[in-house]
Amino acid sequence: MIDLQGFGGLLAEGTWMTIRVTMIAATAGVCIGIGVALMKLSGSRLLRFLAESYTTVLRGVPILLVILLFYFGAIAAVNAVARAVGYTQFIDVSAFAAGCLALSLAFGAYSAEVFRGALQSIPKGQVEAARAIGLPRSKTFFKITLPQVWRLALPGLCNIFLVIMKETALISVVGLDELMRKTQFAVDFTKKPFTFFLVAAFIYLGLTVVTMGATAFLEARANRGFVAQRRGG
């Protein structure tokens, strides 16, 4: 039995913060990814250029640098606006908000390519058939396209989710009390780095196992109707 010397609650708080940031980043990132993927496949050159620029920049810059740019950039912008209106006191920016925004944009950039591939793999005849019977474009997307995209994109989204979950540790550099920062507090106090870093590793491993199990469940549900349809055919 590992003796956490009273720091179990501290690690639990850090774990919950890690989960919160990851879920927010994943939720926002999926929405961003779908939108950017549709922009990449649109007939507008401007939209395609903007989407390609976004994914190129966000995938080409380390996530740590993105977090730092958003955090310190936001501080500079907020204080510049404050000085412009006559407020001279320093205004800090929430590390939680900056971290969630940075990871959401990173998730969106990576998931955009996953969604683009999924969208391109759907037979065009299905969309054309839906439009031929008078189904509006919005209903065609939500009733026919999106369910299939979700099924095809799930494995890739799971991998991105796991990467982003581990990258939450980087937000500790701007002061967010997530799992690794709480672990470092415990290490500094107890002088037992191996014990607490090992516990943190098992926590991340546990979160990974839960995520993979949830993904397998969602994949089974998403593929249920597809498999039944193929057997019926």
Side-chain angles (χ1 to χ4, degrees):
M1 187 69 179
I2 299 178
D3 182 13
L4 298 180
Q5 301 185 32
F7 286 95
L10 195 71
L11 296 182
E13 291 176 7
T15 302
W16 175 235
M17 179 61 75
T18 294
I19 294 172
R20 286 175 59 197
V21 172
T22 305
M23 294 303 298
I24 291 172
T27 302
V30 165
C31 297
I32 294 171
I34 293 175
V36 173
L38 292 173
M39 290 171 64
K40 283 176 171 281
L41 298 175
S42 73
S44 169
R45 288 185 179 181
L46 177 60
L47 291 179
R48 292 200 304 270
F49 172 76
L50 292 175
E52 288 292 344
S53 299
Y54 165 74
T55 54
T56 299
V57 171
L58 266 296
R59 294 171 69 194
V61 176
I63 293 180
L64 175 59
L65 186 55
V66 175
I67 293 170
L68 293 173
L69 288 173
F70 270 95
Y71 180 69
F72 292 109
I75 289 177
V78 169
N79 283 277
V81 172
R83 286 194 298 270
V85 298
Y87 187 81
T88 58
Q89 297 296 321
F90 178 78
I91 302 175
D92 201 0
V93 172
S94 166
F96 178 81
C100 285
L101 179 58
L103 292 182
S104 296
L105 292 174
F107 195 110
Y110 285 100
S111 65
E113 293 302 317
V114 174
F115 284 121
R116 183 180 63 82
L119 285 166
Q120 288 180 317
S121 67
I122 297 175
K124 293 182 179 179
Q126 295 184 11
V127 177
E128 293 172 354
R131 300 301 302 278
I133 62 174
L135 201 65
R137 187 183 298 273
S138 59
K139 285 191 176 181
T140 299
F141 178 76
F142 286 106
K143 296 290 186 180
I144 296 176
T145 303
L146 191 57
Q148 296 184 77
V149 167
W150 175 248
R151 177 179 62 83
L152 295 170
L154 263 175
L157 292 178
C158 174
N159 291 332
I160 299 171
F161 184 93
L162 292 175
V163 170
I164 292 298
M165 180 177 67
K166 288 175 282 189
E167 297 292 356
T168 57
L170 298 175
I171 312 178
S172 63
V173 300
V174 294
L176 184 70
D177 289 330
E178 44 67 61
L179 176 57
M180 285 307 300
R181 186 171 172 84
K182 293 291 191 181
T183 301
Q184 189 62 56
F185 287 156
V187 169
D188 292 341
F189 187 85
T190 63
K191 309 303 180 185
K192 293 186 176 181
F194 180 78
T195 297
F196 285 95
F197 287 138
L198 181 63
V199 171
F202 276 112
I203 292 174
Y204 278 115
L205 182 60
L207 293 175
T208 298
V209 171
V210 171
T211 299
M212 294 177 66
T215 303
F217 172 76
L218 291 174
E219 283 188 40
R221 286 185 62 87
N223 287 318
R224 185 171 53 189
F226 178 74
V227 172
Q229 183 180 12
R230 291 190 62 182
R231 288 176 179 175

